Amino acid sequence: PGRCRPGSRSGTVMRAVREHGAPLVDDPGRLAGVVPAGVDETAFLAARRGQHTQFVTGIVAMAGPGRPRAKLLDVVPGRTRSAVEQWFSGFCDPAWRDAIGTASLDPFRG
């Protein structure tokens, strides 16, 4: 119980998530109007015997003109500078990067 098995309903749910989510992630329009951007790391999988804690970094469009709330743009594996640099340099249009006026680390920290 509680574990995913091939052919189970959870496999059907993940297939639906991928089918619905892939076009949203691949849409370059989701990056339009992002001026302040933020990055925030978080533990994704807790440590267990034989495996260290796994981290991911969220790339966030911060609230700004025309965007009343922050919006998650992407999640990249790891929590290193190079992971974030690879996302910004390899995924994004240079003109889009140049338009970002502010970048924030841990933007939701109290």
Side-chain angles (χ1 to χ4, degrees):
R3 293 186 181 238
C4 297
R5 293 181 301 278
S8 70
R9 283 182 280 192
S10 61
T12 301
V13 171
M14 280 310 300
R15 188 170 40 258
V17 167
R18 285 187 195 104
E19 289 172 3
H20 177 75
L24 297 173
V25 170
D26 294 339
D27 179 12
R30 73 191 173 94
L31 301 175
V34 175
V35 177
V39 295
D40 196 8
E41 64 189 30
T42 189
F44 181 67
L45 293 173
R48 58 180 188 219
R49 192 172 77 187
Q51 181 177 330
H52 295 288
T53 300
Q54 301 291 309
F55 288 89
V56 296
T57 299
I59 312 292
V60 180
M62 301 302 297
R67 186 182 311 279
R69 297 183 306 167
K71 177 181 175 183
L72 181 65
L73 297 174
D74 210 342
V75 177
V76 296
R79 63 175 185 169
T80 63
R81 175 182 175 169
S82 65
V84 174
E85 285 177 345
Q86 285 177 353
W87 188 87
F88 276 97
S89 65
F91 178 75
C92 301
D93 174 22
W96 180 83
R97 280 195 320 265
D98 293 345
I100 295 176
T102 304
S104 176
L105 179 61
D106 289 336
F108 302 110
R109 187 175 202 141

